[in-house]
Amino acid sequence: SVLRAAAMFSFIIIAKTFNRYTNIYNTLAASASLLLAINPYLIMDVGFQLSYVAVIGIVYIQPKVNALYEPGNWLTEQVLTITSVSVAAQIATFPLGVYYFHQFPNYFLISNFIVVPLSTVIMYAGIALFLFSKVPFIAGCIAYGFSRSVWLLNAAVKGIEKWPHALISGLSITATETILVYGIIILLLYYFTKKQLR
């Protein structure tokens, strides 16, 4: 996942350095092409597939979900953003999730309200830890906060997994059915975007 994120951001930064317009879909395609040129077998990696499908879903679907409601204040806007990102990622990835793991997480919205803020804290703490690694006292404080955040994230996810009816299990679809489900999702998105019944 770090390799994929680094590849994506590197392409965006290179384009901005040369004052080029960056189309996020071209950036994703370029980063995927580079990684596949290095290791073609990545195309069969579940993490690779889920990462790129999730990002495409977030980039395309999230703004449309976000536009359905105009928030009145900062807190409502943050809640709406996390909700729309969660819904967009879930719409994009659930067919692959069902195909590979034969299950669907019922509490994905609740868990993402914990995961998204904590993962942001963890990311910034990790960067800060790298920057202040030569200052022992500051690095120790940051490391403590970092480790507690990771612990809390894992504990929260494991706790939600134990809730009743956390998962719909035993789902099974074939590769052809997965492609058909994606076809239906794309057609529905096209319909709601263009508002043309035909």
Side-chain angles (χ1 to χ4, degrees):
S1 59
V2 173
L3 195 66
R4 290 187 288 272
M8 287 181 209
F9 284 116
S10 296
F11 275 89
I12 293 169
I13 290 166
I14 290 166
K16 285 186 177 180
T17 302
F18 292 101
N19 294 319
R20 301 283 183 177
Y21 168 74
T22 55
N23 180 308
I24 189 66
Y25 302 107
N26 287 346
T27 303
L28 288 172
S31 65
S33 298
L34 175 67
L35 292 175
L36 291 172
I38 295 166
N39 181 7
Y41 294 107
L42 275 178
I43 195 73
M44 300 307 295
D45 183 73
V46 180
F48 180 88
Q49 294 172 18
L50 286 170
S51 291
Y52 278 94
V53 169
V55 172
I56 290 167
I58 290 167
V59 167
Y60 183 76
I61 300 169
Q62 191 268 340
K64 292 168 177 53
V65 175
N66 223 26
L68 294 175
Y69 177 73
E70 189 67 35
N73 55 53
W74 179 85
L75 183 61
T76 311
E77 185 179 345
Q78 298 310 306
V79 170
L80 179 64
T81 300
I82 292 173
T83 303
S84 59
V85 166
S86 302
V87 169
Q90 201 62 48
I91 289 170
T93 58
F94 91 85
L96 279 178
V98 171
Y99 176 67
Y100 285 116
F101 307 113
H102 314 293
Q103 59 188 21
F104 181 83
N106 290 324
Y107 301 128
F108 70 91
L109 274 178
I110 297 168
S111 61
N112 280 351
F113 274 109
I114 300 166
V115 169
V116 171
L118 276 177
S119 60
T120 304
V121 168
I122 290 164
M123 183 178 68
Y124 283 114
I127 293 168
L129 187 58
F130 177 75
L131 292 173
F132 291 100
S133 60
K134 300 290 185 187
V135 185
F137 177 73
I138 297 174
C141 294
I142 295 169
Y144 178 78
F146 180 85
S147 65
R148 298 312 295 167
S149 298
V150 171
W151 178 87
L152 183 59
L153 177 66
N154 290 333
V157 171
K158 286 178 183 176
I160 292 170
E161 280 179 0
K162 293 175 182 174
W163 290 4
H165 312 294
L167 289 173
I168 300 174
S169 302
L171 302 173
S172 182
I173 57 174
T174 64
T176 305
E177 289 167 342
T178 304
I179 293 167
L180 288 172
V181 171
Y182 273 115
I184 292 167
I185 291 169
I186 291 165
L187 288 173
L188 285 171
L189 289 171
Y190 183 80
Y191 166 67
F192 285 115
T193 303
K194 302 294 182 182
K195 294 290 193 299
Q196 293 175 352
L197 184 58
R198 176 174 52 81

